[in-house]
Amino acid sequence: MHCIEQHACFGGSQQVWQHPSTTLGCTMRFGVYLPPQATQRPCPVLYWLSGLTCSEQNFITKSGAQRYAAEHGVILVAPDTSPRGDGVADAEGYDIGLGAGFYVNATRAPWSTHYRMHDYVVDELPALVDAHFPTSTARAISGHSMGGHGALVVALRNPGRYRSVSAFAPIVAPSLVPWGEKAFSHYLGDDRAAWRPWDACALIADAGERLPLLVDQGEADEFIDTQLKPELLRETCARAGHPLDLRLRPGHDHSYYFIASYIGEHIAYHADALHG
């Protein structure tokens, strides 16, 4: 593992690291922001999962999150969105293959060779982060769009691992929308029963932990009615008695302008849980 970028930022350090991944069978990159407090004591970690077409760069260059992480003493970790490199399967279109790992463990060839983003995010990446940086045992997770789906599913599938979870414009029911149906049929096959463990709305009904969900959704998002469907999350949580704070934001679209507008509130929310 070695550092390929390092920039002074709000009293801390924004870095990008590269390492060989045994889980994914390729070389991976992730961004890590170390707040100034990390030079004095271990700090909790907020993992950020990005959306379709993104890499680790989108969040670290567009969100403005470092300012708030420095204020609250939180380490930010932003992995890439899929495996990459020679021999890694890809397909035509932005919503499948490279940049579109969907944070699942693929079971169908050729995807199953490399596309195990769930295990990478949950197991391998935190082990690397904890071994190389001054982390405490407290973790939280958040993300946007496909990464919002990933954050919700990862938290729901791993009770007790995260102290808090939030999402911006998540794909809440991928089994029922075109993005998810395309990805799941490729990665997991055509048996829809195999999709259920990777669908947040399906997982909520059987959740053993009622970790509160914080979700921000722009009302001017061009994907709200066709791909995101936040009303399904509201209805599912209401039926299951699962705590949900769904905040609909007038005028906001699907972009990083939206994320940058409210990332400070999300980091403060996670900081309360992480430090508490």
Side-chain angles (χ1 to χ4, degrees):
M1 189 166 108
H2 63 281
C3 185
I4 59 175
E5 283 188 40
Q6 184 167 340
H7 312 279
C9 187
F10 292 104
S13 178
Q14 176 63 61
Q15 303 171 6
V16 177
W17 288 76
Q18 182 169 289
H19 72 98
S21 169
T22 56
T23 302
L24 305 178
C26 66
T27 298
M28 290 294 288
R29 295 182 178 184
F30 65 90
V32 58
Y33 175 70
L34 300 174
Q37 296 88 337
T39 63
Q40 305 295 325
R41 63 179 186 272
C43 293
V45 183
L46 173 60
Y47 288 86
W48 172 270
L49 306 183
S50 293
L52 290 166
T53 76
C54 293
S55 70
E56 80 286 343
Q57 291 293 323
N58 299 73
F59 180 71
I60 68 176
T61 60
K62 295 181 179 180
S63 70
Q66 295 92 340
R67 171 184 177 182
Y68 306 103
E71 178 183 345
H72 293 286
V74 173
I75 294 172
L76 301 176
V77 174
D80 202 347
T81 51
S82 78
R84 298 181 193 265
D86 294 340
V88 175
D90 195 13
E92 187 173 343
Y94 71 93
D95 50 359
I96 189 73
L98 301 185
F102 265 84
Y103 306 100
V104 304
N105 291 337
T107 57
R108 187 180 183 189
W111 313 101
S112 55
T113 302
H114 298 284
Y115 284 73
R116 302 186 60 83
M117 286 299 294
H118 172 272
D119 284 359
Y120 176 74
V121 167
V122 172
D123 297 318
E124 184 177 10
L125 181 60
L128 282 171
V129 169
D130 291 344
H132 288 86
F133 304 104
T135 63
S136 72
T137 59
R139 298 180 185 132
I141 193 163
S142 186
H144 170 236
S145 193
M146 177 187 71
H149 141 76
L152 297 178
V153 166
V154 164
L156 290 164
R157 284 175 58 98
N158 297 276
R161 181 175 290 268
Y162 303 96
R163 294 196 181 180
S164 54
V165 58
S166 73
F168 289 81
I171 308 169
V172 303
S175 299
L176 302 177
V177 300
W179 277 341
E181 289 176 323
K182 180 177 181 179
F184 285 7
S185 62
H186 279 75
Y187 297 150
L188 305 171
D190 295 327
D191 181 3
R192 287 178 173 257
W195 300 3
R196 183 179 176 84
W198 306 103
D199 186 303
C201 282
L203 290 168
I204 285 168
D206 303 320
E209 177 188 42
R210 295 303 181 190
L211 189 66
L213 311 180
L214 172 63
V215 175
D216 268 292
Q217 172 64 61
E219 290 188 328
D221 191 318
E222 62 267 43
F223 303 114
I224 189 170
D225 294 325
T226 56
Q227 305 282 10
L228 308 177
K229 297 185 179 293
E231 70 279 2
L232 295 180
L233 182 65
R234 180 191 286 116
E235 294 165 3
T236 300
C237 287
R239 285 195 301 269
H242 198 111
L244 169 67
D245 183 5
L246 174 59
R247 308 189 296 192
L248 299 177
R249 302 294 193 173
H252 282 283
D253 57 21
H254 201 68
S255 71
Y256 264 83
Y257 295 108
F258 167 49
I259 296 169
S261 298
Y262 301 106
I263 193 65
E265 295 181 21
H266 279 241
I267 291 177
Y269 172 81
H270 290 294
D272 284 345
L274 291 166
H275 291 303

